[in-house]
Amino acid sequence: MNGREVRVTHAGKLYFSRQTKLSKLDLVRYYMAVAPGALAGIRDRPLVLKRFVNGAEGEAFYQKRAPARRPEWLRTVTLSFPSGRKAEEIVVDDAAGLVWIVNLGSIEQHPHAVRTADLEHPDELRVDLDPGPGVGWDDVRRVALEVKSFLDEMGLRSWPKTSGSRGMHVNARIEPRWTFVEVRRAALALSRAIERRVPSLATSKWWKEERHGVFLDYNQNAKDRTTCSAYSVRPLPDARVSAPLRWDEVPDCDPAAFTVLTVPKRFAKLGDPHADMDAQPGSLEKLLEVAAEDEAAGLGDAPWPPHFRKMEGESPRVAPSRAAKKPRKKMPLLVIANSPSKEAALAGLDRWKKKHSEVAKLLAVDDVLIDSMRGRSSTWTRIRLNLRHVPEALRPPQETPDPDDDPTREWRSRRMST
């Protein structure tokens, strides 16, 4: 690896042990087999390390700051965040660096949408298609193809990949001429345009209680947001991979077909479908014209992630169910569980359903809201229930969530008291 030696510690440690059996060394070998493609998605970009130190079946944590003990040849760059904080982040440029971060337990890679030479102007528009509960893969593919058609009209070439879970990502390389605010504005215009084109399939609504179908997450283009890059391994039992595709593969593709065991063979045979992505940057001008038309028609900004300051023109950053001025839209929501362990939260949901079995029979699939929450350095699962289909007289009261372990509660309490 360019004459650099990287020691893999605890090489035999199982990182996947339930459905697929894979050790840390197996993951290192996977990344070596697809290194040209994996590096294309992260090279020269600041990286947030999402570390699974106890394997893919354990809890992960996000590490923005570069480890103090690192090879002298590994680059770093200092980013500033909306909070005003700064962090020195890892930059991986070669296979040795890739193996080094995988050895730390970073089995999926989370690059920022900027290059190190210009940290304020993204060179990538990211379209994250996130299907809601009960939404099928066919709908995800149909929305992805609609995104392609629209971006073609906007003069942007797009590149699809599976998310490695239930959704898809569609990325477009852009010239680094626009700020994060402008790129997000373009992404919001795209999300709203797709919602107008296929209103039964797609939504741009930020609040989960208002969504249906496939959510186009425009906020993935806000500063400080990252998504998993191409060839990232996801922490699912089958060791699924976020796999780059050609557009002609999208109508018939199956996300379960792309795993640590299958993608290296595909890569050796077909190469990287996104190999030419950097050669064709495009312009956001047409998309920003659509954004201006929306604003002229009265569509203001949409909600930002909660840790961003209030933006000019932004709609109220409060869920409709909590908006005092619109009680008719208030949703009867119960918080059922908070836990760093998704399995523990789901077990809490099962206990609630057994306790309230007659009410549970009245819930629709999309009445169960499973939120993957992300704090400053940790993730946890929150489960809520929407009782809109339950007659008011039968609705149970809010109880103490079971379990009730929100790892950010103490931090938020300290912040509010200062």
Side-chain angles (χ1 to χ4, degrees), residues 45-47 75-79 87-91 116-117 119:
R45 298 182 184 278
L47 272 178
R75 283 202 295 151
T76 62
V77 67
T78 300
L79 273 71
E88 187 180 15
E89 293 195 4
I90 289 287
V91 180
T116 59
L119 300 175

Side-chain angles (χ1 to χ4, degrees), residues 198-313:
V198 284
S200 65
L201 297 178
T203 181
S204 65
K205 302 297 186 295
W206 173 250
W207 301 109
K208 284 194 174 184
E209 60 199 59
E210 292 189 308
R211 294 181 197 170
H212 67 277
V214 179
F215 172 49
L216 291 96
D217 190 354
Y218 56 89
N219 270 331
Q220 292 292 11
N221 294 273
K223 189 174 185 180
D224 192 24
R225 304 287 280 194
T226 62
T227 56
C228 75
S229 61
Y231 299 98
S232 283
V233 182
R234 306 307 302 277
L236 297 181
D238 58 357
R240 202 170 294 190
V241 168
S242 181
L245 304 170
R246 302 188 309 268
W247 276 113
D248 62 1
E249 296 180 293
V250 170
D252 300 312
C253 72
D254 177 359
F258 307 106
T259 71
V260 167
L261 301 179
T262 63
V263 168
K265 298 174 185 176
R266 169 182 165 87
F267 190 87
K269 180 179 178 181
L270 302 177
D272 181 11
H274 292 187
D276 295 331
M277 190 174 180
D278 285 344
Q280 304 183 50
S283 171
L284 285 183
E285 291 175 357
K286 288 187 177 181
L287 254 181
L288 290 173
E289 289 174 4
V290 174
E293 292 170 2
D294 284 348
E295 290 156 10
L299 282 176
D301 199 357
W304 286 67
H307 60 285
F308 283 74
R309 63 177 176 82
K310 181 74 173 178
M311 298 293 184
E312 182 179 354

Side-chain angles (χ1 to χ4, degrees), residues 121 191 216:
H121 298 89
S191 301
L216 291 96

Side-chain angles (χ1 to χ4, degrees), residues 335-377:
V335 179
I336 303 302
N338 294 307
S339 178
S341 167
K342 185 175 182 179
E343 290 183 351
L346 290 171
L349 173 63
D350 288 341
R351 289 191 292 271
W352 189 94
K353 286 183 174 180
K354 289 178 181 177
K355 181 179 180 180
H356 304 282
S357 57
E358 294 304 313
V359 173
K361 294 176 184 177
L362 302 175
L363 299 174
V365 172
D366 56 358
D367 288 339
V368 180
L369 307 177
I370 302 177
D371 305 314
S372 180
M373 310 297 289
R374 178 172 171 177
R376 293 172 60 194
S377 61

Side-chain angles (χ1 to χ4, degrees), residues 11 41 55 63 78 101 108-109 135 159 172 189 237 239 245 253-254 293 307 322 326 337 341 365 380:
Q63 181 173 341
T78 300
I101 61 173
E108 59 180 50
Q109 316 313 328
V135 176
W159 305 81
L245 304 170
C253 72
D254 177 359
E293 292 170 2
H307 60 285
R322 300 177 61 187
K326 297 182 179 180
S341 167
V365 172
W380 82 100

